[in-house]
Amino acid sequence: MKKIAVKNYYMVRLDDKDADSNLYEADLGWGQYDYDEAMADTPEDVLRYYLDVVCYDVYFFSADTFSWYWIDNRGDGYKLSLLPTRPDWDGMFLEGNYLLPGKMPWPDDIPNVIFKADTLEEFIKGARIGGKTIGEALNRASIYLS
């Protein structure tokens, strides 16, 4: 039996009795595709690949802190921000309750920067969420690329 990590995570149609809105433990962290694509063995190496080689930003929902985070590699260095909750969120499904830069009204200054580093290595060594390293935190997260 699959273990639920987060109830009512995915947005589903409420009239669909077969819809599953839960996020499962097996779905947390990078997928096998990500490890293969990055030719990586660790979550930190996958993160290096997406931030440094492909130049994506990474945003994710932590199943441990029940918060959304954004890793921004635009401009100077690397920033880890706690994403604000959408003011129009209905409180039902967690997947859609954050504000993502460029997708919705967003202030010029990124609020809630919780860690900043000049280099990727400093970022990976120093970033922490709920006392966990960024690699450990990503293993317990639903991850998206932008």
Side-chain angles (χ1 to χ4, degrees):
M1 186 165 149
K2 297 193 302 185
K3 184 177 177 191
I4 295 173
V6 180
K7 289 184 177 191
N8 295 323
Y9 177 77
Y10 293 108
M11 288 182 264
V12 297
R13 288 182 40 180
L14 297 176
D15 62 351
D16 184 350
K17 300 294 184 210
D18 295 325
D20 187 355
S21 65
N22 299 318
L23 176 65
Y24 292 91
E25 293 285 339
D27 299 326
L28 298 176
W30 299 111
Q32 189 58 51
Y33 171 84
D34 300 300
Y35 282 98
D36 293 345
E37 178 74 16
M39 293 182 281
D41 296 321
T42 68
E44 294 85 358
D45 286 340
V46 175
L47 181 62
R48 281 183 187 92
Y49 172 76
Y50 282 124
L51 292 176
D52 206 34
V53 175
V54 184
C55 297
Y56 282 150
D57 286 347
V58 176
Y59 63 104
F60 57 96
F61 178 81
S62 168
D64 293 332
T65 65
F66 271 65
S67 296
W68 284 92
Y69 299 89
W70 176 42
I71 301 172
D72 174 16
N73 69 348
R74 303 174 304 160
D76 295 341
Y78 300 84
K79 297 178 200 87
L80 175 64
S81 297
L82 179 64
L83 290 175
T85 301
R86 288 176 47 173
D88 62 344
W89 181 48
D90 63 9
M92 291 192 69
F93 302 109
L94 291 167
E95 185 182 33
N97 78 335
Y98 57 89
L99 284 174
L100 186 63
K103 305 291 184 204
M104 305 192 94
W106 188 259
D108 291 334
D109 243 354
I110 305 302
N112 301 322
V113 173
I114 57 176
F115 185 78
K116 191 176 182 180
D118 292 329
T119 69
L120 184 54
E121 290 312 307
E122 289 172 353
F123 181 84
I124 288 174
K125 288 179 182 171
R128 299 275 185 278
I129 294 175
K132 294 182 178 183
T133 67
I134 194 67
E136 293 167 332
L138 288 169
N139 275 339
R140 298 274 311 140
S142 180
I143 306 169
Y144 301 82
L145 302 171
S146 172

PDB file of all heavy atoms in Angstrom, residues 105-126:
ATOM      1  N   PRO A 105       1.002  38.315 -10.035  1.00  0.00           N
ATOM      2  CA  PRO A 105       1.581  39.577  -9.555  1.00  0.00           C
ATOM      3  C   PRO A 105       2.705  39.297  -8.557  1.00  0.00           C
ATOM      4  O   PRO A 105       2.547  38.507  -7.635  1.00  0.00           O
ATOM      5  CB  PRO A 105       0.402  40.271  -8.877  1.00  0.00           C
ATOM      6  CG  PRO A 105      -0.798  39.651  -9.485  1.00  0.00           C
ATOM      7  CD  PRO A 105      -0.433  38.247  -9.850  1.00  0.00           C
ATOM      8  N   TRP A 106       3.843  39.915  -8.769  1.00  0.00           N
ATOM      9  CA  TRP A 106       5.024  39.613  -7.969  1.00  0.00           C
ATOM     10  C   TRP A 106       5.786  40.896  -7.707  1.00  0.00           C
ATOM     11  O   TRP A 106       6.009  41.687  -8.623  1.00  0.00           O
ATOM     12  CB  TRP A 106       5.900  38.633  -8.741  1.00  0.00           C
ATOM     13  CG  TRP A 106       7.051  38.107  -7.956  1.00  0.00           C
ATOM     14  CD1 TRP A 106       8.338  38.523  -8.044  1.00  0.00           C
ATOM     15  CD2 TRP A 106       7.041  37.092  -6.982  1.00  0.00           C
ATOM     16  NE1 TRP A 106       9.124  37.834  -7.178  1.00  0.00           N
ATOM     17  CE2 TRP A 106       8.347  36.936  -6.509  1.00  0.00           C
ATOM     18  CE3 TRP A 106       6.040  36.292  -6.424  1.00  0.00           C
ATOM     19  CZ2 TRP A 106       8.690  36.024  -5.522  1.00  0.00           C
ATOM     20  CZ3 TRP A 106       6.378  35.381  -5.460  1.00  0.00           C
ATOM     21  CH2 TRP A 106       7.695  35.247  -5.024  1.00  0.00           C
ATOM     22  N   PRO A 107       6.218  41.118  -6.501  1.00  0.00           N
ATOM     23  CA  PRO A 107       6.976  42.342  -6.220  1.00  0.00           C
ATOM     24  C   PRO A 107       8.352  42.317  -6.891  1.00  0.00           C
ATOM     25  O   PRO A 107       8.870  41.250  -7.210  1.00  0.00           O
ATOM     26  CB  PRO A 107       7.110  42.322  -4.698  1.00  0.00           C
ATOM     27  CG  PRO A 107       6.897  40.909  -4.295  1.00  0.00           C
ATOM     28  CD  PRO A 107       6.020  40.278  -5.344  1.00  0.00           C
ATOM     29  N   ASP A 108       8.916  43.490  -7.101  1.00  0.00           N
ATOM     30  CA  ASP A 108      10.249  43.571  -7.709  1.00  0.00           C
ATOM     31  C   ASP A 108      11.300  42.910  -6.831  1.00  0.00           C
ATOM     32  O   ASP A 108      12.206  42.254  -7.311  1.00  0.00           O
ATOM     33  CB  ASP A 108      10.632  45.031  -7.961  1.00  0.00           C
ATOM     34  CG  ASP A 108       9.788  45.655  -9.055  1.00  0.00           C
ATOM     35  OD1 ASP A 108       9.292  44.902  -9.915  1.00  0.00           O
ATOM     36  OD2 ASP A 108       9.622  46.880  -9.042  1.00  0.00           O
ATOM     37  N   ASP A 109      11.192  43.113  -5.547  1.00  0.00           N
ATOM     38  CA  ASP A 109      12.116  42.501  -4.603  1.00  0.00           C
ATOM     39  C   ASP A 109      11.563  41.150  -4.192  1.00  0.00           C
ATOM     40  O   ASP A 109      10.402  41.041  -3.845  1.00  0.00           O
ATOM     41  CB  ASP A 109      12.223  43.368  -3.350  1.00  0.00           C
ATOM     42  CG  ASP A 109      13.610  43.893  -3.152  1.00  0.00           C
ATOM     43  OD1 ASP A 109      14.496  43.499  -3.915  1.00  0.00           O
ATOM     44  OD2 ASP A 109      13.800  44.695  -2.224  1.00  0.00           O
ATOM     45  N   ILE A 110      12.388  40.128  -4.220  1.00  0.00           N
ATOM     46  CA  ILE A 110      11.929  38.805  -3.819  1.00  0.00           C
ATOM     47  C   ILE A 110      11.823  38.778  -2.289  1.00  0.00           C
ATOM     48  O   ILE A 110      12.815  38.960  -1.590  1.00  0.00           O
ATOM     49  CB  ILE A 110      12.893  37.703  -4.304  1.00  0.00           C
ATOM     50  CG1 ILE A 110      13.108  37.792  -5.801  1.00  0.00           C
ATOM     51  CG2 ILE A 110      12.392  36.327  -3.895  1.00  0.00           C
ATOM     52  CD1 ILE A 110      11.866  37.701  -6.637  1.00  0.00           C
ATOM     53  N   PRO A 111      10.627  38.566  -1.768  1.00  0.00           N
ATOM     54  CA  PRO A 111      10.486  38.525  -0.317  1.00  0.00           C
ATOM     55  C   PRO A 111      10.949  37.184   0.249  1.00  0.00           C
ATOM     56  O   PRO A 111      11.074  36.205  -0.482  1.00  0.00           O
ATOM     57  CB  PRO A 111       8.977  38.676  -0.124  1.00  0.00           C
ATOM     58  CG  PRO A 111       8.396  38.086  -1.359  1.00  0.00           C
ATOM     59  CD  PRO A 111       9.382  38.369  -2.467  1.00  0.00           C
ATOM     60  N   ASN A 112      11.215  37.185   1.521  1.00  0.00           N
ATOM     61  CA  ASN A 112      11.484  35.937   2.238  1.00  0.00           C
ATOM     62  C   ASN A 112      12.686  35.158   1.729  1.00  0.00           C
ATOM     63  O   ASN A 112      12.649  33.928   1.643  1.00  0.00           O
ATOM     64  CB  ASN A 112      10.249  35.034   2.223  1.00  0.00           C
ATOM     65  CG  ASN A 112       9.053  35.693   2.848  1.00  0.00           C
ATOM     66  OD1 ASN A 112       9.181  36.403   3.834  1.00  0.00           O
ATOM     67  ND2 ASN A 112       7.889  35.490   2.266  1.00  0.00           N
ATOM     68  N   VAL A 113      13.768  35.849   1.338  1.00  0.00           N
ATOM     69  CA  VAL A 113      14.999  35.143   0.985  1.00  0.00           C
ATOM     70  C   VAL A 113      15.554  34.588   2.290  1.00  0.00           C
ATOM     71  O   VAL A 113      15.851  35.335   3.218  1.00  0.00           O
ATOM     72  CB  VAL A 113      16.027  36.067   0.294  1.00  0.00           C
ATOM     73  CG1 VAL A 113      17.348  35.331   0.091  1.00  0.00           C
ATOM     74  CG2 VAL A 113      15.483  36.563  -1.039  1.00  0.00           C
ATOM     75  N   ILE A 114      15.667  33.254   2.358  1.00  0.00           N
ATOM     76  CA  ILE A 114      16.118  32.636   3.609  1.00  0.00           C
ATOM     77  C   ILE A 114      17.565  32.169   3.548  1.00  0.00           C
ATOM     78  O   ILE A 114      18.159  31.865   4.576  1.00  0.00           O
ATOM     79  CB  ILE A 114      15.181  31.483   4.036  1.00  0.00           C
ATOM     80  CG1 ILE A 114      15.078  30.422   2.953  1.00  0.00           C
ATOM     81  CG2 ILE A 114      13.811  32.023   4.404  1.00  0.00           C
ATOM     82  CD1 ILE A 114      14.251  29.213   3.360  1.00  0.00           C
ATOM     83  N   PHE A 115      18.133  32.121   2.323  1.00  0.00           N
ATOM     84  CA  PHE A 115      19.549  31.792   2.184  1.00  0.00           C
ATOM     85  C   PHE A 115      20.037  32.311   0.848  1.00  0.00           C
ATOM     86  O   PHE A 115      19.325  32.244  -0.145  1.00  0.00           O
ATOM     87  CB  PHE A 115      19.793  30.275   2.279  1.00  0.00           C
ATOM     88  CG  PHE A 115      21.248  29.921   2.258  1.00  0.00           C
ATOM     89  CD1 PHE A 115      22.020  30.070   3.400  1.00  0.00           C
ATOM     90  CD2 PHE A 115      21.854  29.472   1.101  1.00  0.00           C
ATOM     91  CE1 PHE A 115      23.373  29.780   3.382  1.00  0.00           C
ATOM     92  CE2 PHE A 115      23.201  29.168   1.073  1.00  0.00           C
ATOM     93  CZ  PHE A 115      23.971  29.314   2.224  1.00  0.00           C
ATOM     94  N   LYS A 116      21.274  32.805   0.857  1.00  0.00           N
ATOM     95  CA  LYS A 116      21.866  33.376  -0.339  1.00  0.00           C
ATOM     96  C   LYS A 116      23.332  32.971  -0.390  1.00  0.00           C
ATOM     97  O   LYS A 116      23.999  32.952   0.657  1.00  0.00           O
ATOM     98  CB  LYS A 116      21.730  34.891  -0.258  1.00  0.00           C
ATOM     99  CG  LYS A 116      22.028  35.659  -1.480  1.00  0.00           C
ATOM    100  CD  LYS A 116      21.717  37.123  -1.190  1.00  0.00           C
ATOM    101  CE  LYS A 116      21.941  37.984  -2.385  1.00  0.00           C
ATOM    102  NZ  LYS A 116      21.655  39.385  -2.111  1.00  0.00           N
ATOM    103  N   ALA A 117      23.834  32.624  -1.586  1.00  0.00           N
ATOM    104  CA  ALA A 117      25.244  32.270  -1.736  1.00  0.00           C
ATOM    105  C   ALA A 117      25.749  32.757  -3.090  1.00  0.00           C
ATOM    106  O   ALA A 117      24.985  32.819  -4.055  1.00  0.00           O
ATOM    107  CB  ALA A 117      25.433  30.759  -1.611  1.00  0.00           C
ATOM    108  N   ASP A 118      27.025  33.077  -3.138  1.00  0.00           N
ATOM    109  CA  ASP A 118      27.626  33.553  -4.385  1.00  0.00           C
ATOM    110  C   ASP A 118      27.866  32.425  -5.378  1.00  0.00           C
ATOM    111  O   ASP A 118      27.759  32.615  -6.585  1.00  0.00           O
ATOM    112  CB  ASP A 118      28.948  34.272  -4.109  1.00  0.00           C
ATOM    113  CG  ASP A 118      28.737  35.578  -3.358  1.00  0.00           C
ATOM    114  OD1 ASP A 118      27.669  36.209  -3.551  1.00  0.00           O
ATOM    115  OD2 ASP A 118      29.628  35.952  -2.581  1.00  0.00           O
ATOM    116  N   THR A 119      28.223  31.256  -4.883  1.00  0.00           N
ATOM    117  CA  THR A 119      28.517  30.122  -5.779  1.00  0.00           C
ATOM    118  C   THR A 119      27.546  28.977  -5.508  1.00  0.00           C
ATOM    119  O   THR A 119      26.957  28.873  -4.422  1.00  0.00           O
ATOM    120  CB  THR A 119      29.951  29.602  -5.582  1.00  0.00           C
ATOM    121  OG1 THR A 119      30.041  28.966  -4.296  1.00  0.00           O
ATOM    122  CG2 THR A 119      30.978  30.728  -5.706  1.00  0.00           C
ATOM    123  N   LEU A 120      27.441  28.105  -6.486  1.00  0.00           N
ATOM    124  CA  LEU A 120      26.565  26.946  -6.347  1.00  0.00           C
ATOM    125  C   LEU A 120      27.052  26.017  -5.232  1.00  0.00           C
ATOM    126  O   LEU A 120      26.249  25.485  -4.474  1.00  0.00           O
ATOM    127  CB  LEU A 120      26.461  26.202  -7.685  1.00  0.00           C
ATOM    128  CG  LEU A 120      25.521  25.016  -7.734  1.00  0.00           C
ATOM    129  CD1 LEU A 120      24.114  25.389  -7.272  1.00  0.00           C
ATOM    130  CD2 LEU A 120      25.469  24.454  -9.152  1.00  0.00           C
ATOM    131  N   GLU A 121      28.343  25.842  -5.121  1.00  0.00           N
ATOM    132  CA  GLU A 121      28.876  24.965  -4.070  1.00  0.00           C
ATOM    133  C   GLU A 121      28.581  25.527  -2.681  1.00  0.00           C
ATOM    134  O   GLU A 121      28.215  24.782  -1.779  1.00  0.00           O
ATOM    135  CB  GLU A 121      30.368  24.722  -4.262  1.00  0.00           C
ATOM    136  CG  GLU A 121      30.670  23.842  -5.464  1.00  0.00           C
ATOM    137  CD  GLU A 121      29.816  22.573  -5.528  1.00  0.00           C
ATOM    138  OE1 GLU A 121      29.775  21.815  -4.535  1.00  0.00           O
ATOM    139  OE2 GLU A 121      29.193  22.337  -6.573  1.00  0.00           O
ATOM    140  N   GLU A 122      28.721  26.840  -2.520  1.00  0.00           N
ATOM    141  CA  GLU A 122      28.370  27.460  -1.232  1.00  0.00           C
ATOM    142  C   GLU A 122      26.886  27.276  -0.943  1.00  0.00           C
ATOM    143  O   GLU A 122      26.496  27.037   0.198  1.00  0.00           O
ATOM    144  CB  GLU A 122      28.694  28.962  -1.249  1.00  0.00           C
ATOM    145  CG  GLU A 122      30.157  29.290  -1.221  1.00  0.00           C
ATOM    146  CD  GLU A 122      30.412  30.781  -1.440  1.00  0.00           C
ATOM    147  OE1 GLU A 122      29.454  31.529  -1.737  1.00  0.00           O
ATOM    148  OE2 GLU A 122      31.571  31.187  -1.320  1.00  0.00           O
ATOM    149  N   PHE A 123      26.078  27.403  -1.987  1.00  0.00           N
ATOM    150  CA  PHE A 123      24.637  27.232  -1.824  1.00  0.00           C
ATOM    151  C   PHE A 123      24.311  25.816  -1.372  1.00  0.00           C
ATOM    152  O   PHE A 123      23.582  25.613  -0.397  1.00  0.00           O
ATOM    153  CB  PHE A 123      23.908  27.548  -3.140  1.00  0.00           C
ATOM    154  CG  PHE A 123      22.424  27.415  -3.031  1.00  0.00           C
ATOM    155  CD1 PHE A 123      21.660  28.461  -2.543  1.00  0.00           C
ATOM    156  CD2 PHE A 123      21.782  26.238  -3.385  1.00  0.00           C
ATOM    157  CE1 PHE A 123      20.278  28.337  -2.410  1.00  0.00           C
ATOM    158  CE2 PHE A 123      20.414  26.099  -3.262  1.00  0.00           C
ATOM    159  CZ  PHE A 123      19.665  27.154  -2.774  1.00  0.00           C
ATOM    160  N   ILE A 124      24.840  24.821  -2.059  1.00  0.00           N
ATOM    161  CA  ILE A 124      24.536  23.428  -1.739  1.00  0.00           C
ATOM    162  C   ILE A 124      25.041  23.059  -0.343  1.00  0.00           C
ATOM    163  O   ILE A 124      24.372  22.340   0.393  1.00  0.00           O
ATOM    164  CB  ILE A 124      25.091  22.493  -2.830  1.00  0.00           C
ATOM    165  CG1 ILE A 124      24.231  22.656  -4.091  1.00  0.00           C
ATOM    166  CG2 ILE A 124      25.135  21.047  -2.366  1.00  0.00           C
ATOM    167  CD1 ILE A 124      24.720  21.934  -5.298  1.00  0.00           C
ATOM    168  N   LYS A 125      26.186  23.581   0.045  1.00  0.00           N
ATOM    169  CA  LYS A 125      26.727  23.273   1.375  1.00  0.00           C
ATOM    170  C   LYS A 125      25.996  24.012   2.492  1.00  0.00           C
ATOM    171  O   LYS A 125      25.902  23.513   3.603  1.00  0.00           O
ATOM    172  CB  LYS A 125      28.217  23.607   1.425  1.00  0.00           C
ATOM    173  CG  LYS A 125      29.072  22.650   0.640  1.00  0.00           C
ATOM    174  CD  LYS A 125      30.530  23.030   0.694  1.00  0.00           C
ATOM    175  CE  LYS A 125      31.346  22.070  -0.164  1.00  0.00           C
ATOM    176  NZ  LYS A 125      32.724  22.508  -0.315  1.00  0.00           N
ATOM    177  N   GLY A 126      25.467  25.207   2.206  1.00  0.00           N
ATOM    178  CA  GLY A 126      24.920  26.034   3.268  1.00  0.00           C
ATOM    179  C   GLY A 126      23.409  26.099   3.390  1.00  0.00           C
ATOM    180  O   GLY A 126      22.890  26.378   4.466  1.00  0.00           O
TER     181      GLY A 126
END
